[in-house]
Amino acid sequence: MALLDSLKPLPDAKGAAEALAALLESASEPARATLERAGATLGPILATAPYLNELATRHGDWLARALNEAPETTFERLLAEMARAGHEAETEAEASKFLRVGKAHGALLSAVAELGGVWTAKETTRAMSDIADTALEACLDLMMREAAKRGDLARPVDEATAANSGLAIFALGKHGGQELNYSSDIDIVAFYDPQSPALPADADHNKIYVRMIRHLVSMMQDRTADGYVFRTDVRLRPDPGSTPVAISVDAAMSYYESRGQNWERAAWIKARPCAGDKKVGERFLKELAPFIWRKHLDFATIADIQAMKRQINIHRKVGGERVLGHNVKLGRGGIREIEFFVQTQQLIAGGRDPELRARPTVEALAALVDGGWINAETAKDLEETYWFLRAVENRLQMLRDEQTHTMPETEEGVAEIALLMGYGTREAFEDAYRAALGRVVNYYSELFTEGASLAGEMGNLVFTGSDDDPGTLETLQELGFSDPAAVSATIRKWHYGGYSATRASKAREHLTEFMPTLLKTIAATGNADAAFARFDDFLKRLPAGVQMFALLHNHEVLAQLLIDFMASAPRLAEAVIHRAHVMDGLIDPSFAGDIAESESLVASVDAFLADARSYEDLIDRARIIGQEQKFLIAAGLVGGALSAEQAGRQFTALAETLMGRLFNAVRRTFAERHGVIEGARVGLLAFGKMASREMTATSDLDFILLYDVPEGTKGSDGEKPLDPASYFTRLTQRLLAAITSPTAEGVLYDADMRLRPSGNAGPLATNLKRFKSYQREEAWTWEHLALTRARMTIADAGLAETVDEEIAAIMTLDRDPEKTVTDVRNMRALMARERPPRHPFDLKLHDGGLVDLEFIAQTAQLIKGRELDVPQAPPAKVLMRLAETGILPQGERLAEIHGVYSSVLELMSACLLDPLKDEGWTGAFRDLLARRTNYPSFALLEADIAAMRKDVAEAAEVFYARMLEG
């Protein structure tokens, strides 16, 4: 049946009629009638999804033809045309165009078919996988033909094909399971058979095959006027930091047999030869099977898989989960948990039961039912939920062809996804989404609860009497403690009430029950001695232990989190040691949901400050709640409940809230003595990470105080009147004291006001008129760079609008691009001389680091601000706009790199007391950093960052050159 006859209408969307009319106008006359008949489906799609609108506009006539035949027929022809490009295209450019157009057609067809209710998410993910397979095969066919023409092969050109190349390309992950999401990149690994007759006996196999794969990756992902095929990632190969992009099957097998890790076993569950010499691929998989599928029950694997996705997971109902900003893939109750539910049991039993070795997730669920591992109802629930969540994921990516898995942060954005899912209301969709998450959480939690009980006895753990128990020392040594006798002695001290926290008999009883979990958790950190020492320090400072030990015993995830802090996040460990009350927030059942909501954060701060009995008490309370909330945000980041981007917004929301409440209090107390200035307006203008909502756990407050007074104003009307300049200078001093002065409760924030006119030499408070004249007539280029993301965070009525208008005017001033670029480069060179990087992960200052990304974004705002049209936007958004506008095609890559850098720096600030000293960079912290940035290992992250720095440095050169060209 023709696709057109099967389409279901979508709920009406704002602008649908206009979007459809624009499409019809761009299409040829023969196509219009068909497109118009599909209008009830196409209109809402075009109005909601900019990417699909663009595809439909570019390929409207093709879409009309596709609507008039069965989608399966269209798709088969599309694949055949792409495959033919590899065999018949005369040039790489010709083949490249065929593949990119084919991908665009496939993306458009599958989106319309799925959104129109003709295909399911299952069929779309299979289609995208088939497109990826076909494109890879076509690229390799072309590479082989070109190699034969160069004389690199032992075969003539007409026999040079991917299928007899001796080079196997493996698809991993969802691509391997033929479940590729709509805008996914593809993870491939390439191994070659050095005995293959494809190459001459004396040929340099490695050189030839590496060149092919590099060329293939470039051909797949480089952007041209026709788009790109797939972003292609080759980092899942063995030891990518030191191996080329193609290695021999012998080298690969040697690696997996000697150094292969559990995460790599999981990665290879879905692996399949997807292109190239599949005979070589199948032989390799057969030889690799004993590594992936071990014969013995391997319950220790559960711990490894959990370590790859350790979350703060306090027991609570998911019904309260916030849909806005939820990560459908990695978030609680998301796709990854279903995959882990399946893969864990596959790894445990797949060695004995070959039927469990299915690649697609849903087929593996069915195999688990047949094997008696789960019941049919569980499989049915998870299958339906899996495809529901995959459908949501597809729609998130269909909007803008972004590899995103995060729900929109606004109700309007979620309403768009609800519409594309076919729901009449956003509320109905949110109910269905929360119910899906709840089902996953229930099954996932049950799995790991059972898994923990299967781990068996740890061995002797006897800490009574005065002598060490030999069996206990052996157990402790096996757990990884370097001095078991010292550990045993310390624990005996705990049991004998040596600390305040263990003096109560009930506390010691709970501690005894908790001891196996505690030691197992400490051992699992990979830094057992340091974690144990910090836990001992924690107990020394804990005034009472009954409630804490009971809590940790009953909430193993919380215990894991606490030990994680002690092993990999010394800053958080110190916070717990010195202020045990910060743990109270983690105990709150609403923590896991509320930590991501700015509204909940503001409410918590206001509720705590409301009980202040005096100004001085308010100052202390601000520090108490500030430290607690910083800890909770950092804990959410470290535990996985918050992304780095969310943590940055929350740290900023906290700073703005505290600063705003303190400023109000300062103004009230100041007015009691000095009165007010009639008609005056005052506000705080934020710069840097505060302005772009990217603050970290250790960020200072970068702001200036602006004021505006009516003409002719003499001064304030209080008991001790002050002229305007003195009034606002002293007010600023009071605010700085309220924020930065140390009290018994510590320091709230450090403040940086150097961006006021004339810097530290100028007055603390800045008159708006002086601000305007300085910025227009005297300011240096670096001061205008800072203005590109400045924003008013607190302001009296009307002042924010006035300041925003002035900044907008300053941003549109005529500038000499050559002078601007020269100034920026000189500033960067000066920074490099005066502030050289102090650590391999000093990602802010390194060449190709965060400063370079920010300078690109800020310089672009100054020179190309009108064209970019994103005033005061954060750097990542500006970088994306550079790509979207064609000013810098590498902008999308730079935005991705900015996200990785920001994630790393957020974690470094949250976890380490001094991020630029090696002491805190333990194995546990490195593993945490890799997990939280979604890398399988720290080595992979480290290697990738080195490549990113090079990409940024190269892109910066290209960017500045283009700015000089105009």
Side-chain angles (χ1 to χ4, degrees), residues 861-904:
Q861 288 283 57
L862 292 185
I863 298 176
K864 297 286 187 179
R866 289 189 183 92
E867 189 173 346
L868 293 172
D869 195 26
V870 282
Q872 312 311 108
K877 188 171 183 179
V878 178
L879 295 170
M880 281 298 296
R881 283 294 293 158
L882 287 172
E884 292 166 0
T885 55
I887 296 172
L888 185 66
Q890 300 96 318
E892 182 178 2
R893 169 66 173 156
L894 297 185
E896 293 173 358
I897 292 172
H898 185 279
V900 175
Y901 285 179
S902 298
S903 296
V904 171

Side-chain angles (χ1 to χ4, degrees), residues 755-940:
L755 281 169
R756 64 188 188 272
S758 302
N760 289 337
L764 275 178
T766 303
N767 186 297
L768 183 59
K769 290 180 181 176
R770 172 59 179 151
F771 175 82
K772 291 180 179 180
S773 65
Y774 180 86
Q775 292 294 342
R776 288 174 179 268
E777 300 166 11
E778 303 174 44
W780 296 71
T781 299
W782 66 266
E783 292 171 295
H784 281 178
L785 291 180
L787 272 187
T788 61
R789 53 175 165 168
R791 65 182 177 90
M792 295 295 288
T793 57
I794 300 163
D796 290 338
L799 183 61
E801 292 78 3
T802 301
V803 174
D804 287 345
E805 289 171 6
E806 180 59 20
I807 292 175
I810 294 166
M811 290 296 101
T812 56
L813 292 174
D814 289 334
R815 286 183 175 79
D816 178 359
E818 183 174 355
K819 181 182 184 305
T820 301
V821 169
T822 300
D823 286 350
V824 171
R825 283 178 153 171
N826 288 341
M827 280 185 283
R828 185 65 183 99
L830 180 64
M831 287 182 70
R833 290 194 302 272
E834 296 188 352
R835 297 175 60 193
R838 296 185 289 137
H839 188 274
F841 266 68
D842 192 351
L843 296 183
K844 179 178 179 181
L845 297 178
H846 264 301
D847 185 32
L850 192 65
V851 164
D852 289 306
L853 289 172
E854 291 179 344
F855 274 13
I856 290 172
Q858 292 165 349
T859 305
Q861 288 283 57
L862 292 185
I863 298 176
K864 297 286 187 179
R866 289 189 183 92
E867 189 173 346
L868 293 172
D869 195 26
V870 282
Q872 312 311 108
K877 188 171 183 179
V878 178
L879 295 170
M880 281 298 296
R881 283 294 293 158
L882 287 172
E884 292 166 0
T885 55
I887 296 172
L888 185 66
Q890 300 96 318
E892 182 178 2
R893 169 66 173 156
L894 297 185
E896 293 173 358
I897 292 172
H898 185 279
V900 175
Y901 285 179
S902 298
S903 296
V904 171
L905 292 170
E906 281 281 1
L907 285 158
M908 287 167 61
S909 296
C911 294
L912 303 182
L913 294 166
D914 189 337
L916 301 183
K917 288 186 178 177
D918 284 332
E919 288 84 355
W921 285 76
T922 62
F925 172 68
R926 290 169 182 241
D927 289 343
L928 173 74
L929 200 58
R931 289 200 307 274
R932 289 293 163 261
T933 51
N934 297 315
Y935 278 78
S937 71
F938 180 80
L940 279 171

Side-chain angles (χ1 to χ4, degrees), residues 442-459:
N442 288 339
Y443 289 121
Y444 185 68
S445 301
E446 288 171 8
L447 170 72
F448 289 119
T449 298
E450 293 169 6
S453 69
L454 293 169
E457 295 298 325
M458 293 171 60

